[in-house]
Amino acid sequence: MKVLGIETSCDETGVAIYDTDAGLLAQSLHSQVDLHAVYGGVVPELASRDHIRRLPALVRQTLSDAGLGVESLDAIAYTAGPGLAGALLVGASVAESMAMAANIPALPVHHLEGHLLSPLLAAEPPSFPFVALLVSGGHTQLMAVTGVGAYTLLGESLDDAAGEAFDKTAKLLGLGYPGGPQLAALAEQGRAGRFKLPRPMLHSGDLDFSFSGLKTAVLNVVSAPGWQPEWAADLAADFQEAVVEVLCAKSLAALKQTGLKSMVVAGGVGANTQLRARLDAVTRRRGARVHYPEPALCTDNGAMIAFAGALRLAAGERPVRAPGVRIRPRWPLAELFSPAQI
Ligand code: KG4
Ligand code: ZN
């Protein structure tokens, strides 16, 4: 079964084709980073317009790279939410119209399910069940995953997501957008330990997170009298250390609570090398193993959407053929099941 996947939920236009027999056949990605950089963040209207500009060419390119025509596809999966409404509409419109023209099903996919399942695309994929730590720009969640579509929320951020905290802190330190990778790079040049930053909810006894206070603590440091800009790298290192420590402690607690020995990390912050190193070390001590998507598949991409769509179809999901375009900009993962709910 060959599934074309389309991702346009935010600032990346991603297209890919996944074949349930042969794996990933082709993928194309266009990042809008340069477009939004001058504004210091994603401008939704510009994002939508750029998706319109790029998507048709990327679809053509991906089909051509895979050596396939539309008639060879079995379905078209697209990100239906959560995300920016205008941006989602672009991918949904293209997917639904192509599917209608080719007389094949269109499958609305949950963006976070795409992230969550992306470690299964790795050369050595984990098997179900596992704990998933989802750390993206908009979400920080711990989940128990027992199969495709079988997700139990164990804990989540009560305010800012981990990626959002990275982005906002990067802005406070005068770094450009996207802040996460730049802050991580700056942290590499610094030494943690100069500043005492809080470890929010470390001992809360549950699996929830809170990161907004950490960003405020950084703001207090940089606005205090005597602040020296040359300390920025050390502050970045202390900030990263605090986030990583909390994420690792809660991940361990989730493994303990569920009794599982396997976990996956997905979402943009999963590309953070310090998080990977520390999580590997602490889980190894518990006899558990962590699986990551390839770094290129950590951030938004079409491959994870094609893959999630293909897995759902393979699991027996029958997409509802309904005229019109289905998106759900706010779509809790807990409500994920039938696309009929969209
Ligand atoms: O999953 P993603 O591409 O988009 C969402 O669905 O949100 O995640 C983007 C987030 C951004 O907040 C970005 O700053 C963060 O992931 N990010 C990182 C790193 N690479 C991306 N944060 C920390 N360290 C990184 N290396
Ligand atoms: Zn994402």
Side-chain angles (χ1 to χ4, degrees):
M1 198 159 40
K2 295 179 183 64
V3 179
L4 180 90
I6 294 179
E7 157 63 36
T8 63
S9 66
C10 189
D11 55 352
E12 243 98 30
T13 320
V15 181
I17 299 171
Y18 182 80
D19 183 341
T20 44
D21 294 325
L24 205 54
L25 299 183
Q27 58 171 322
S28 321
L29 188 74
H30 174 77
S31 167
Q32 301 180 352
V33 163
D34 294 343
L35 177 70
H36 300 294
V38 279
Y39 303 99
V42 178
V43 184
E45 180 60 20
L46 293 184
S48 316
R49 292 183 198 186
D50 201 58
H51 287 308
I52 294 174
R53 226 176 352 247
R54 310 280 177 181
L55 186 53
L58 286 182
V59 169
R60 273 195 293 273
Q61 180 69 47
T62 312
L63 283 166
S64 146
D65 289 349
L68 296 175
V70 182
E71 68 291 343
S72 317
L73 299 173
D74 295 283
I76 301 184
Y78 64 93
T79 304
L84 302 170
L88 290 168
L89 274 174
V90 178
S93 312
V94 169
E96 294 276 0
S97 352
M98 277 181 70
M100 187 179 278
N103 200 24
I104 53 175
L107 191 70
V109 167
H110 194 292
H111 180 80
L112 297 183
E113 182 174 44
H115 276 303
L116 190 69
L117 298 174
S118 60
L120 300 179
L121 275 167
E124 281 183 56
S127 40
F128 297 116
F130 51 75
V131 165
L133 172 67
L134 199 76
V135 270
S136 69
H139 295 83
T140 301
Q141 297 184 327
L142 273 164
M143 261 163 295
V145 179
T146 45
V148 176
Y151 315 123
T152 309
L153 185 65
L154 302 171
E156 64 184 334
S157 177
L158 305 178
D159 43 54
D160 290 356
E164 192 176 359
F166 263 93
D167 293 337
K168 288 180 174 170
T169 303
K171 217 169 200 176
L172 286 176
L173 294 179
L175 303 174
Y177 151 90
Q182 295 201 33
L183 188 67
L186 183 64
E188 291 286 305
Q189 297 162 31
R191 274 241 315 264
R194 184 191 289 272
F195 303 99
K196 288 243 163 315
L197 298 182
R199 304 297 192 254
M201 297 186 72
L202 187 61
H203 302 295
S204 60
D206 55 27
L207 298 174
D208 289 333
F209 303 88
S210 164
F211 291 110
S212 69
L214 196 48
K215 166 204 67 199
T216 310
V218 171
L219 176 64
N220 290 338
V221 172
V222 296
S223 40
W227 161 253
Q228 308 277 331
E230 63 266 26
W231 293 340
D234 288 347
L235 183 52
D238 270 318
F239 168 82
Q240 181 170 261
E241 178 88 13
V243 174
V244 166
E245 189 178 327
V246 175
L247 291 175
C248 288
K250 299 271 173 168
S251 298
L252 270 188
L255 286 168
K256 206 165 163 192
Q257 182 178 312
T258 56
L260 296 173
K261 291 280 180 208
S262 168
M263 77 174 279
V264 308
V265 179
V269 184
N272 187 280
T273 46
Q274 165 111 7
L275 173 63
R276 288 182 173 220
R278 190 75 66 80
L279 205 50
D280 282 342
V282 297
T283 49
R284 205 176 303 124
R285 269 183 247 137
R286 262 192 65 84
R289 166 140 189 230
V290 194
H291 299 259
Y292 305 92
E294 290 168 31
L297 295 184
C298 278
T299 44
D300 294 348
N301 62 84
M304 67 183 193
I305 302 303
F307 183 59
L311 287 191
R312 283 197 153 250
L313 285 173
E317 181 160 323
R318 293 288 153 258
V320 181
R321 287 203 189 202
V325 170
R326 295 162 284 173
I327 63 159
R328 199 161 161 199
R330 289 177 184 274
W331 186 6
L333 190 64
E335 285 177 27
L336 179 69
F337 271 101
S338 160
Q341 290 174 349
I342 292 179

